[in-house]
Amino acid sequence: MGLCDDVRDHCATVAASARWVEIDLDALGGIEPGPEPELDRERHYLEGSRADVATYMLTLDAINFGSGWFPTLRKRPGCSGYYTVAWALADRFRSEGPWSHDQLRAMTPGEVALVLGQDEGHELMGLYAQALRDLGDFLGDRTALDLVAESDGSAERLATSLARGMPFFDDKGFYKRAQIVPNDLDLAGIAGFDDLDELTIFADNLVPHVLRVDGVLRYSATLAERIDREELLPAGEEEAEIRACAVHACELIARRLGVPARVLDTWLWNRGQEPRYKARPRHRTRTVYY
């Protein structure tokens, strides 16, 4: 069994014995299709050479986590935490190009903070610096395009390589960030993968929130109260159950709509940028996995 089926199997098992989260099967039909997935061309760096865009996407996905800390970041006007990071990194690539491998391996919290417009002492800057050092070590002498070539057209092979090669990608049972890399490379027009549609959703805290607001996921009263008063959830247990039930529910919805789960993920994630979803607290967990 490959990485993607491991995720499906794990999440179906968790959902079948869930204690805090319930999937309302009758609400599944209320999820409607959205526009075709695409990357925002201003807030992502997509106009460079193929090599530089591939490097940008891999670098961004190396630090594509921290939603539990996002309320404490200085946001760009009108931007979420993710878009604040993505846009700041894009501007760095536009002005100075990518970091060299040696620069990645020597990355400091201060350098990350300077690029992202944050305080050097913020906990997330230290974690981002570690993630970028890990990326430099993982790459060795290889480029982002070398990783694509090594995957031999398989999104799952690339995701597996990332999960095995860097600890912050080793999100057992979900592999959110490992799976999103080939998807992002495809959206950026950098690489095509024969098995791209085998990917699951990219289990974070926004897609489950959208499913909750839309009535697909129902939380126990105590869990709902904790989230609504913006209490941080520890990793595991309730938090893992939320993510697992979201993955399993999306498998059922994607099957009903006849679309790949990864496409459904983008529809739901984009929907989550709307005011009615932002008006209600989502679960927050401080983790390197999303």
Side-chain angles (χ1 to χ4, degrees):
M1 186 181 295
L3 179 145
C4 298
D5 282 339
D6 279 346
V7 173
R8 291 187 180 88
D9 183 64
H10 167 77
C11 292
T13 300
V14 171
S17 59
R19 297 165 54 195
W20 299 283
V21 183
E22 179 183 357
I23 300 172
D24 185 345
L25 297 176
D26 293 332
L28 293 177
I31 303 298
E32 298 295 332
E36 282 296 308
E38 63 178 355
L39 295 173
D40 185 299
R41 302 196 70 84
E42 181 178 14
R43 294 184 285 189
H44 295 91
Y45 175 71
L46 304 176
E47 66 271 23
S49 68
R50 182 168 178 261
D52 281 357
V53 173
T55 302
Y56 167 77
M57 295 311 309
L58 183 61
T59 305
L60 174 60
D61 283 334
I63 56 172
N64 184 5
F65 64 88
S67 58
W69 288 271
F70 282 175
T72 68
L73 291 184
R74 281 194 296 271
K75 310 288 200 318
R76 289 194 172 194
C79 286
S80 64
Y82 166 77
Y83 278 125
T84 293
V85 172
W87 198 349
L89 184 65
D91 283 348
R92 198 275 179 196
F93 269 68
R94 288 171 180 135
S95 63
E96 300 182 52
W99 284 298
S100 70
H101 290 18
D102 285 341
Q103 288 174 319
L104 287 174
R105 287 189 280 266
M107 189 60 62
T108 65
E111 172 70 9
V112 177
L114 183 64
V115 169
L116 301 185
Q118 306 298 324
D119 295 327
E120 180 178 352
H122 194 292
E123 184 179 8
L124 198 51
M125 300 305 106
L127 292 170
Y128 283 170
Q130 180 62 59
L132 293 172
R133 291 194 296 270
D134 289 346
L135 176 61
D137 289 340
F138 172 71
L139 285 171
D141 295 328
R142 299 174 298 176
T143 67
L145 289 179
D146 289 335
L147 294 184
V148 171
E150 289 173 8
S151 73
D152 195 26
S154 171
E156 185 171 60
R157 187 175 294 115
L158 176 55
T160 301
S161 172
L162 294 167
R164 289 176 177 172
M166 288 179 280
F168 287 6
F169 281 84
D170 192 17
D171 181 19
K172 291 181 174 61
F174 300 100
Y175 298 109
K176 180 261 182 184
R177 294 177 48 232
Q179 291 192 81
I180 209 170
V181 171
N183 188 71
D184 283 349
L185 290 170
D186 175 79
L187 290 177
I190 295 303
F193 300 94
D194 297 334
D195 57 350
L196 196 65
D197 290 345
E198 294 302 309
L199 300 174
T200 70
I201 69 162
F202 314 117
D204 57 8
N205 69 332
L206 182 53
V207 170
H209 174 66
V210 172
L211 294 175
R212 181 195 179 196
V213 173
D214 287 349
V216 174
L217 295 186
R218 295 193 299 204
Y219 298 168
S220 71
T222 54
L223 177 58
E225 288 169 3
R226 292 171 66 196
I227 293 171
D228 290 344
R229 65 174 177 258
E230 301 185 60
E231 177 183 327
L232 285 172
L233 297 182
E237 295 194 333
E238 299 105 324
E239 173 266 338
E241 197 169 285
I242 289 170
R243 297 174 73 203
C245 287
V247 171
H248 187 58
C250 284
E251 288 294 316
L252 300 175
I253 297 167
R255 200 173 306 147
R256 179 173 295 190
L257 293 177
V259 299
R262 68 179 184 89
V263 173
L264 174 63
D265 178 279
T266 304
W267 292 348
L268 296 175
W269 195 90
N270 287 339
R271 186 180 300 182
Q273 308 304 312
E274 297 173 8
R276 75 186 187 97
Y277 296 100
K278 287 185 172 293
R280 190 172 182 181
R282 70 186 83 163
H283 90 264
R284 298 278 182 184
T285 297
R286 291 186 170 176
T287 174
V288 298
Y289 295 139
Y290 62 92

